[in-house]
């Protein structure tokens, strides 16, 4: 059997990035993957396919709502669902094959099958046992349902089933107003589905800045999504083609029901560690089923590391990638580091929502002395021209030092705009540093600069 410096278990964004970095650092590396294609949840049934459907459905929305205003007349396009799914599958294929190419380029062996760790220093794949000086567990996460709900991936679906529905449903109930529910709810709403979102809490997207939550909900409602907040789903009764959702309103405990053709359960994900043999190895786990690691991603068993969704922290592909690179560097004897205070979060709806650092609520709770610089996209010429003037940029900075503490954007390309603020925060920049940086005109980025100006003597275009 082959001898490796590192075997990575799982080829999602955490695992494949870790494997590539290990190989680049001169370590003999293999990656275990049981799926037929590389890339994990993100590339196969998550980030990438959902972005394809978001893009296609957004184009339809633009054609239906904005083309005529620009003098582009003619019949609105109709939806060929089969073709849209084929386009999505093609995008998946291009990306997963891209990882295969990168593995070959970096001389990483793909060990096909599901891996387990019979003892430290060994990884079993099928009947073969391979030696590995170091093992990185990057096994990811799976959708977690609620008690009383059985997922059949046809009528009652997770995000996986929602990406391959045989037809566009007339009515969809989304349980949970988090990232998955709102992204996929938006897709189907734009394709003509009546979408009702049921959320346990009194606001959508828990943990997000309160002002953004309110604006986001209003904009989604304008697009046709309906919300029932403060409602705890009790059960879902499904037949072959329909489902009935029973929920209780938390304010008065009254019970209600709602019918739909499809129910999307998007109430969170949990670490996936089944079959790895972690129990027998005595690897410490948290109460939430996450693998416990030290600050260098090493578990309590020497030589076994873990990264990504199966450990603590936000379940985000880019957080896993950062950990993958840093963990590889630690194994290679370098100083791997992840700055957990500057990990952006993005929701790829339209408009997009993006955040980094602290929310205003967190700063208040911590008793921080802060100031707010806000700028609406209404004052941005480019956004107006592109029918994208809904939303704002909000920068939170320390009142005394002017250092940027957080930023929250709802608006066009928010997921890209956030990164100049991430870089600024990495460098410990002040709001004034951003405000004094020349920004090209006319760009959406000017709204970021204006928000930074608003932290000082004031925005110009407001
Ligand atoms: P989530 O944690 O974002 O949201 C789940 C929602 O379900 C919460 O609002 C919660 O209050 C609600 N909920 C829980 N129990 C409920 C009940 N009984 N009745 C009604 N509502 C209930 O989880 P989601 O959307 O499933 O996403 C899972 C993970 O995947 C997240 O960690 C997310 O960050 C990640 N993800 C990230 C994406 C991105 O970065 N764009 C895209 C998709 C997923």
């Amino acid at each position: 059997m082959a001898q490796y410096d590192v075997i990575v278990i799982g080829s999602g964004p955490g695992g494949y990035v870790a494997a590539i970095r290990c190989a680049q650092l001169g370590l003999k590396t293999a990656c275990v993957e049981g799926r037929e294609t590389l890339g994990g949840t993100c590339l196969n049934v998550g980030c990438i396919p959902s972005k394809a459907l978001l893009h296609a459905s957004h184009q339809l929305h633009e054609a239906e709502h904005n083309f005529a205003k620009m003098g582009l007349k003619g019949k609105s396009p109709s939806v060929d669902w089969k073709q849209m799914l084929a386009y999505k599958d093609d995008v998946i294929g291009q990306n997963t094959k891209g990882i295969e190419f990168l593995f070959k380029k970096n001389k990483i062996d793909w060990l096909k099958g599901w891996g387990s760790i019979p003892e430290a220093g060994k990884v079993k794949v099928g009947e073969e046992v391979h030696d590995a000086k170091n093992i990185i567990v990057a096994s990811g996460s799976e959708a977690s349902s609620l008690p009383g709900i059985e997922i059949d991936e046809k009528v009652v679906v997770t995000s996986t089933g929602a990406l391959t529905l045989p037809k566009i449903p007339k009515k969809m109930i989304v349980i949970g107003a988090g990232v998955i529910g709102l992204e996929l709810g938006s897709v189907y709403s734009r394709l003509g589905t009546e979408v009702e979102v049921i959320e346990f809490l009194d606001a959508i997207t828990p943990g997000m800045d309160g002002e953004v939550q309110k604006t986001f909900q209003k904009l989604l409602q304008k697009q046709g999504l309906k919300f029932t907040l403060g409602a705890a789903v009790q059960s879902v009764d499904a037949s072959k083609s329909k489902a009935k959702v029973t929920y209780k309103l938390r304010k008065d405990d009254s019970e209600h029901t709602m019918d739909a053709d499809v129910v999307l359960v998007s109430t969170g994900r949990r670490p996936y560690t089944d079959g790895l043999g972690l129990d027998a190895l005595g690897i410490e786990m948290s109460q939430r089923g996450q693998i416990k690691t030290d600050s260098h991603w090493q578990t309590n068993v020497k030589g076994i590391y873990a990264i990504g969704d199966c450990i603590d922290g936000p379940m985000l592909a880019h957080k896993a990638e950062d950990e993958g690179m840093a963990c590889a560097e630690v194994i290679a004897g370098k100083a791997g580091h992840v700055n957990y205070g500057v990990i952006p979060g993005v929701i790829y709806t339209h408009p997009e929502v993006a955040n980094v650092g602290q929310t205003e609520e967190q700063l208040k709770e911590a008793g921080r002395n802060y100031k707010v610089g806000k700028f609406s996209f209404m004052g941005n010429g480019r956004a107006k021209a592109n029918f994208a003037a809904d939303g704002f940029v909000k920068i939170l900075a320390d009142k005394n030092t002017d250092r940027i503490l957080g930023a929250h954007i709802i608006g066009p390309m928010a997921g890209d705009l956030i990164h100049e603020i991430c870089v600024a925060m990495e460098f410990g920049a002040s709001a004034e540093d951003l405000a004094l940086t020349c920004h090209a005109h006319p760009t959406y980025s000017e709204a970021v600069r204006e928000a930074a100006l608003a932290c000082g003597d004031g925005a110009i275009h407001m």
Side-chain angles (χ1 to χ4, degrees):
M1 287 307 106
Q3 298 240 338
Y4 292 98
D5 293 316
V6 184
I7 295 183
V8 183
I9 301 180
S11 72
Y16 84 72
V17 168
I20 292 172
R21 183 54 108 220
C22 285
Q24 286 173 336
L25 295 173
L27 302 167
K28 186 168 166 51
T29 307
C31 182
V32 187
E33 176 54 63
R35 263 182 221 268
E36 285 182 13
T37 47
L38 299 171
T41 300
C42 172
L43 273 69
N44 288 284
V45 287
C47 325
I48 296 299
S50 62
K51 259 77 275 173
L53 294 184
L54 278 159
H55 177 67
S57 59
H58 177 60
Q59 299 304 312
L60 178 69
H61 183 271
E62 288 293 283
E64 285 172 346
H65 294 88
N66 294 327
F67 275 20
K69 292 181 203 158
M70 295 184 279
L72 299 172
K73 303 230 165 144
K75 245 175 83 189
S76 271
S78 60
V79 178
D80 178 343
W81 181 234
K82 253 190 162 165
Q83 177 57 33
M84 201 178 281
L85 292 180
Y87 147 70
K88 174 212 67 174
D89 290 338
D90 182 54
V91 174
I92 296 173
Q94 288 180 42
N95 280 276
T96 55
K97 284 200 189 78
I99 308 300
E100 226 176 302
F101 163 78
L102 291 173
F103 272 17
K104 282 190 188 127
K105 185 181 158 202
N106 287 286
K107 302 194 172 45
I108 296 163
D109 290 342
W110 173 5
L111 307 175
K112 292 185 186 175
W114 300 101
S116 60
I117 312 174
E119 60 185 275
K122 299 210 182 294
V123 174
K124 188 170 181 217
V125 185
E127 291 311 308
E128 296 189 342
V129 179
H130 305 267
D131 287 327
K133 285 186 203 141
N134 301 280
I135 298 166
I136 303 177
V137 179
S139 52
S141 61
E142 61 178 352
S144 63
S145 186
L146 297 168
I149 300 184
E150 210 164 296
I151 306 285
D152 59 20
E153 294 296 10
K154 287 190 176 80
V155 174
V156 185
V157 300
T158 66
S159 52
T160 305
L163 293 166
T164 49
L165 293 179
K167 60 177 189 196
I168 298 169
K170 281 207 174 72
K171 171 132 189 216
M172 175 184 264
I173 294 173
V174 173
I175 306 176
V179 189
I180 294 182
L182 298 182
E183 286 186 359
L184 289 172
S186 288
V187 165
Y188 284 101
S189 167
R190 291 172 196 161
L191 296 176
T193 303
E194 186 188 341
V195 176
E196 293 256 10
V197 184
I198 304 178
E199 165 59 45
F200 181 80
L201 298 172
D202 295 323
I204 67 170
T205 56
M208 198 174 273
D209 192 89
E211 259 184 289
V212 173
Q213 286 178 327
K214 286 194 196 103
T215 305
F216 191 26
Q217 190 183 335
K218 266 192 216 144
L219 292 174
L220 290 174
Q221 277 167 338
K222 224 165 88 183
Q223 290 169 22
L225 279 88
K226 292 186 188 135
F227 291 92
T228 303
L229 303 180
V233 169
Q234 307 294 304
S235 62
V236 178
D237 291 317
S239 69
K240 266 191 178 152
S241 58
K242 284 251 171 264
K244 186 192 282 295
V245 175
T246 305
Y247 62 92
K248 269 188 180 174
L249 287 182
R250 292 198 298 132
K251 61 176 183 210
D252 57 10
D253 223 24
S254 58
E255 196 166 280
H256 304 260
T257 59
M258 213 186 266
D259 293 324
D261 309 302
V262 171
V263 175
L264 167 61
V265 182
S266 46
T267 50
R269 296 179 64 84
R270 61 163 170 248
Y272 179 73
T273 54
D274 294 359
L276 289 171
L278 303 184
D279 259 8
L281 287 162
I283 287 187
E284 282 177 20
M285 310 287 284
S286 76
Q287 280 193 330
R288 298 173 61 200
Q290 298 154 325
I291 301 172
K292 281 193 189 174
T293 67
D294 63 17
S295 58
H296 284 116
W297 304 280
Q298 186 158 223
T299 67
N300 58 317
V301 176
K302 198 166 175 286
I304 302 181
Y305 297 78
I307 56 164
D309 284 11
C310 64
I311 69 168
D312 192 21
M315 288 186 170
L316 296 171
H318 44 280
K319 174 257 192 189
E321 289 182 32
D322 279 23
E323 288 174 343
M325 276 192 281
C327 182
E329 280 162 18
V330 167
I331 290 173
K334 301 177 99 176
H337 176 72
V338 174
N339 180 0
Y340 287 101
V342 186
I343 293 183
V346 180
I347 308 180
Y348 298 88
T349 44
H350 194 83
E352 288 185 350
V353 180
N355 61 74
V356 63
Q358 312 262 344
T359 63
E360 196 168 347
E361 289 72 22
Q362 284 170 329
L363 293 176
K364 270 191 191 135
E365 206 181 305
R368 288 290 293 259
N369 205 1
Y370 67 93
K371 55 187 172 177
V372 183
K374 222 174 126 185
F375 186 77
S376 162
F377 281 99
M378 288 292 178
N380 180 278
R382 185 73 179 276
K384 273 198 184 130
N386 295 0
F387 305 106
D390 284 327
F392 57 82
V393 180
K394 172 174 174 179
I395 294 178
L396 302 163
D398 188 283
K399 199 160 194 170
N400 303 318
T401 65
D402 197 35
R403 190 179 177 136
I404 301 170
L405 303 172
H408 305 275
I409 308 178
I410 175 163
M413 305 293 286
D416 287 276
L417 296 182
I418 198 74
H419 294 103
E420 73 164 297
I421 304 172
C422 295
V423 174
M425 286 176 74
E426 279 288 347
F427 281 82
S430 63
E432 191 181 29
D433 289 326
L434 263 189
L436 291 176
T437 305
C438 183
H439 283 62
H441 175 76
T443 59
Y444 296 139
S445 300
E446 287 174 289
V448 173
R449 183 197 200 173
E450 292 269 23
L453 281 164
C455 287
D457 294 332
I460 302 295
H461 296 90
M462 265 294 153

